[in-house]
Amino acid sequence: MISTIALFWALCVVCIVNMARYFSSLRALLAVLRGCDPLLYQYVDGAGFFTSHGQPSKQVRLVRYIWAKRYLDHHDEEFIRRCERVRGQFMLTSSLCGLVVISLIAMAIWH
């Protein structure tokens, strides 16, 4: 029989790996954005996005931009493709994190 604790930790590892993939894709998206649309890059604080002095309000702008699919009107195909990938990974990572929280609550109740 499979241990529920081992299954929970495996789920946590999968969630962490997907978070790393998401942040890596987001970093690549910002690199492409710097070249294809410098104004939008400045608007979402591209240079300070992953720094400790980054502005969360500007970071949320990029999340809203991607979530609302406003990138579909952009002229650069590579940027659109990367935005689609980041959006998919964000949804996957969010659902996995939710599953981890639900699993943690279920394990706390069960054990």
Side-chain angles (χ1 to χ4, degrees), residues 8-107:
F8 172 74
W9 283 111
L11 183 63
C12 287
V13 168
V14 168
C15 186
I16 289 170
V17 167
N18 275 304
M19 277 186 200
R21 289 181 62 223
Y22 168 69
F23 288 127
S24 174
S25 294
L26 191 57
R27 187 175 294 275
L29 174 70
L30 288 171
V32 169
L33 184 61
R34 184 180 338 128
C36 72
D37 196 347
L39 187 59
L40 182 59
Y41 181 77
Q42 292 283 327
Y43 183 70
V44 299
D45 193 27
F49 201 85
F50 287 106
T51 61
S52 61
H53 63 277
Q55 299 175 1
S57 63
K58 287 187 175 185
Q59 294 168 351
V60 169
R61 286 180 188 168
L62 182 61
V63 171
R64 286 184 184 155
Y65 181 83
I66 292 173
W67 186 254
K69 291 188 174 183
R70 284 186 254 154
Y71 54 83
L72 292 175
D73 296 331
H74 205 272
H75 61 83
D76 192 358
E77 292 295 323
E78 182 181 0
F79 177 70
I80 293 171
R81 192 170 14 93
R82 289 198 187 259
C83 284
E84 285 289 331
R85 180 175 179 177
V86 166
R87 187 174 193 273
Q89 286 179 341
F90 176 74
M91 291 190 314
L92 176 67
T93 302
S94 298
S95 61
L96 281 173
C97 288
L99 189 60
V100 166
V101 169
I102 290 170
S103 299
L104 184 61
I105 293 169
M107 283 180 46

